[in-house]
Amino acid sequence: MTVQQDIHSSGIPVLCLSCEARHRGACGALDPDHLVGLAKTSWRHKIEPGVKLIGDAEAVDSYSNVLSGVVKLTKSLSDGRQQIVGLQFAPDFLGRPFKVESPINAEAATVVSLCSFPKAAVERIMKEAPELEHRLFKQTLIELDAAREWMVTVGRRTAPEKVASFLLTIARNIDRTVDPAARSARFDLPLTRVDIADFLALRFETVSRQLTRLRADGIIRIENNRHVTVDNMSRLEQRCGG
Amino acid sequence: MTVQQDIHSSGIPVLCLSCEARHRGACGALDPDHLVGLAKTSWRHKIEPGVKLIGDAEAVDSYSNVLSGVVKLTKSLSDGRQQIVGLQFAPDFLGRPFKVESPINAEAATVVSLCSFPKAAVERIMKEAPELEHRLFKQTLIELDAAREWMVTVGRRTAPEKVASFLLTIARNIDRTVDPAARSARFDLPLTRVDIADFLALRFETVSRQLTRLRADGIIRIENNRHVTVDNMSRLEQRCGG
DNA sequence: CGGAGACTTGACTTATATCAAAGCGTGTGG
DNA sequence: CCACACGCTTTGATATAAGTCAAGTCTCCG
């Protein structure tokens, strides 16, 4: 799909006008000219849960913005043991700059909608517009902070603390437009019990047991396996173990 | 210590001439003018093992290049549980750009020598010389890849696999000038058993047991607790579990 | 030589994994 | 519309890898 240009809206392509990636994501770094150039070669698409976006050690020839849904980033050992090493929410930028092969797998955890670009186009604009590289650098630093924070959870928290921490990070990221200091939250879990286990380095049975414990203790309510309500976020925070 | 300028060496400050950070590190991005400007405000110093360089949530007003030794990056829970979330070797750049407070602790694991700069000087030059920001971006991406790789080890490898993986990453990083594909290696462990345990999310007793097992199996030799010899790297690699 | 910190080793405990079975919800075909 | 099948989840019983507690030993230094 090629994007139409609307010369009456400061030259910003129509599809970009209300796009989250332009408001809070990588495209916010671009002036109208670059936006038009990139939009010409971009395409939006929808991906079903479980579909692989990027394979470990595979060449990738496009970058994407996550417009909605959740992407899981995973790494695997040769015998099949798997670890989720990151989650990407809207409006994160997906792709590894300066490297032909991705060091990780990326897979749609939910229905995901993406706006994708040819790798070459992004890299050309990155050279012309240092502000784009600057934004991507900042996002990468935030991802690094998150990865290290998650290492503490995976390595040093107990199973109950891990599950509570997981719920907290989902609550804070699933809809980043809501106040991160909100005292209550409702959301659909973007991951199955197996996925959550792969994220926390647990077994899915353990995840299930910890969720029923949180439910029994009145900290969360769960409807239809996926829909979670947290009435009192601070009680959940207390279960994260410092 | 302020650095003398030697106008006969293409204007490169003498101390920088043979510096690893200029050859393979962040300073390689700088032209002689910027190098001189930065060198004027830089200072080299030596740090004893165990000395804290940066505190979690503390303001930092300097950046550094690691010239020798190993720096451990840690995060802690309020009850004292600790996780090492990264190691920095020469000539890595130490510091979190674009943020006043560090999200982690940094501590000298061995004797460390640093070349430090005022934060403001680095940030000013980063604006003038996009190549510097570009290098730091690349290092950050490499650190992110390493953090994610390490998450797999912490989360999904067994204790024997963890210790073997640890030895492998030390062998490959302690002296980056040697061929990473070398078939044998000798090195001093930069970390105590307690530190290794904090890196691998194990207890130090477990680390000790796994090391004696590797020794009993003839994969490694250990002298004086710290000095390790690996005659056959591929046998060590086989113990890392894919 | 002696003392302190780092390390090893052994005996026992425990959190989480593993194995097994049954429950639930959703979509499909009869 | 029912039923049946499939994937996901819960729950229970048991096993085990790693943790904990407790001596000791080794090394390095003063």
Side-chain angles (χ1 to χ4, degrees):
Chain A
M1 178 200 321
T2 303
V3 173
Q4 284 186 313
Q5 184 183 344
D6 179 348
I7 53 167
H8 296 302
S9 303
S10 341
I12 295 170
V14 276
L15 264 185
C16 301
L17 274 175
S18 65
C19 179
E20 277 298 284
R22 193 176 63 83
H23 287 120
R24 298 182 297 121
C27 293
L30 300 175
D31 58 38
D33 283 353
H34 282 127
L35 216 45
V36 167
L38 199 55
K40 270 186 195 137
T41 58
S42 77
W43 67 101
R44 287 186 175 211
H45 47 144
K46 203 173 193 178
I47 285 135
E48 290 303 307
V51 173
K52 207 171 163 186
L53 301 170
I54 303 173
D56 192 347
E58 278 175 21
V60 194
D61 57 0
S62 67
Y63 294 121
S64 305
N65 281 312
V66 179
L67 302 182
S68 69
V70 177
V71 174
K72 53 182 189 182
L73 308 177
T74 70
K75 286 181 81 85
S76 297
L77 300 179
S78 50
D79 65 358
R81 282 174 284 177
Q82 190 171 98
Q83 177 70 41
I84 295 184
V85 297
L87 292 177
Q88 305 222 272
F89 303 85
D92 289 341
F93 180 88
L94 181 63
R96 169 63 162 88
F98 315 131
K99 232 183 156 212
V100 175
E101 299 196 344
S102 165
I104 54 178
N105 305 296
E107 184 183 320
T110 62
V111 171
V112 168
S113 82
L114 296 181
C115 182
S116 300
F117 321 93
K119 209 167 187 207
V122 174
E123 280 168 1
R124 183 173 43 72
I125 291 177
M126 204 149 59
K127 276 180 197 135
E128 292 170 18
E131 175 62 16
L132 177 59
E133 180 161 348
H134 184 71
R135 283 240 188 168
L136 295 180
F137 186 14
K138 273 179 150 170
Q139 186 193 305
T140 302
L141 284 163
I142 289 169
E143 281 180 45
L144 180 58
D145 292 344
R148 287 172 168 167
E149 178 63 41
W150 205 251
M151 259 172 82
V152 179
T153 300
V154 168
R156 290 304 186 191
R157 285 195 229 257
T158 64
E161 289 166 353
K162 284 179 178 184
V163 172
S165 302
F166 169 76
L167 291 175
L168 216 50
T169 97
I170 296 302
R172 287 179 177 157
N173 283 289
I174 199 79
D175 182 356
R176 291 180 181 161
T177 58
V178 309
D179 178 10
R183 302 214 326 276
S184 70
R186 319 171 108 265
F187 51 89
D188 280 316
L189 287 175
L191 304 183
T192 66
R193 305 291 188 266
V194 170
D195 285 336
I196 299 172
D198 281 346
F199 197 16
L200 296 171
L202 296 170
R203 297 285 131 167
F204 69 92
E205 297 96 324
T206 305
V207 171
S208 178
R209 282 184 238 273
Q210 298 308 329
L211 285 172
T212 77
R213 191 140 94 90
L214 286 170
R215 192 170 22 174
D217 294 352
I219 311 242
I220 59 173
R221 280 175 289 147
I222 303 182
E223 287 156 277
N224 297 336
N225 286 337
R226 288 292 189 107
H227 192 75
V228 175
T229 309
V230 187
D231 288 316
N232 186 339
M233 291 288 267
S234 59
R235 288 184 70 199
L236 186 60
E237 283 158 21
Q238 283 160 19
R239 300 249 170 164
C240 293
Chain B
M1 178 202 321
T2 303
V3 173
Q4 283 187 313
Q5 185 182 346
D6 178 349
I7 55 168
H8 296 303
S9 303
S10 342
I12 295 171
V14 278
L15 264 184
C16 302
L17 273 175
S18 65
C19 179
E20 277 298 283
R22 194 175 62 83
H23 287 119
R24 299 181 297 119
C27 293
L30 299 175
D31 58 38
D33 283 353
H34 282 127
L35 216 46
V36 167
L38 200 54
K40 268 185 196 138
T41 58
S42 78
W43 67 102
R44 287 187 175 212
H45 48 145
K46 205 174 192 175
I47 284 134
E48 292 301 308
V51 173
K52 206 171 165 187
L53 301 170
I54 303 171
D56 192 347
E58 278 175 21
V60 196
D61 55 1
S62 68
Y63 293 121
S64 306
N65 281 311
V66 178
L67 302 182
S68 71
V70 177
V71 174
K72 54 182 188 182
L73 308 178
T74 70
K75 286 182 80 86
S76 296
L77 300 179
S78 51
D79 64 0
R81 281 175 286 177
Q82 190 171 96
Q83 178 70 41
I84 295 185
V85 297
L87 292 177
Q88 304 221 272
F89 303 86
D92 289 339
F93 180 87
L94 181 63
R96 170 62 163 88
F98 316 131
K99 230 185 159 210
V100 176
E101 299 196 344
S102 165
I104 54 178
N105 304 296
E107 184 182 320
T110 62
V111 171
V112 168
S113 83
L114 296 181
C115 183
S116 300
F117 319 93
K119 206 166 187 204
V122 174
E123 281 171 359
R124 184 172 41 73
I125 291 177
M126 203 148 60
K127 276 180 197 139
E128 292 169 16
E131 176 62 19
L132 176 60
E133 180 161 348
H134 185 69
R135 283 240 188 168
L136 295 181
F137 185 14
K138 273 179 152 171
Q139 184 192 306
T140 302
L141 284 163
I142 290 169
E143 281 180 45
L144 180 58
D145 291 344
R148 286 173 169 167
E149 178 64 43
W150 206 250
M151 259 172 81
V152 179
T153 300
V154 168
R156 289 304 186 190
R157 285 194 229 256
T158 65
E161 290 166 353
K162 284 179 178 184
V163 172
S165 303
F166 170 76
L167 291 175
L168 216 51
T169 96
I170 295 302
R172 286 178 178 158
N173 284 288
I174 199 81
D175 182 357
R176 289 180 181 163
T177 59
V178 309
D179 179 10
R183 301 213 328 275
S184 70
R186 318 171 107 266
F187 52 87
D188 281 316
L189 287 175
L191 303 184
T192 66
R193 305 291 187 267
V194 170
D195 284 337
I196 299 171
D198 280 346
F199 197 16
L200 296 170
L202 296 171
R203 297 283 129 166
F204 70 94
E205 297 97 325
T206 304
V207 172
S208 178
R209 283 185 238 272
Q210 298 308 329
L211 284 172
T212 78
R213 190 139 95 89
L214 287 171
R215 192 170 23 174
D217 294 352
I219 312 241
I220 59 172
R221 280 176 288 147
I222 304 182
E223 288 155 277
N224 298 338
N225 287 339
R226 287 293 191 107
H227 191 74
V228 175
T229 308
V230 187
D231 289 316
N232 187 338
M233 291 287 266
S234 60
R235 288 184 68 201
L236 186 60
E237 283 160 20
Q238 283 162 18
R239 301 246 171 165
C240 293

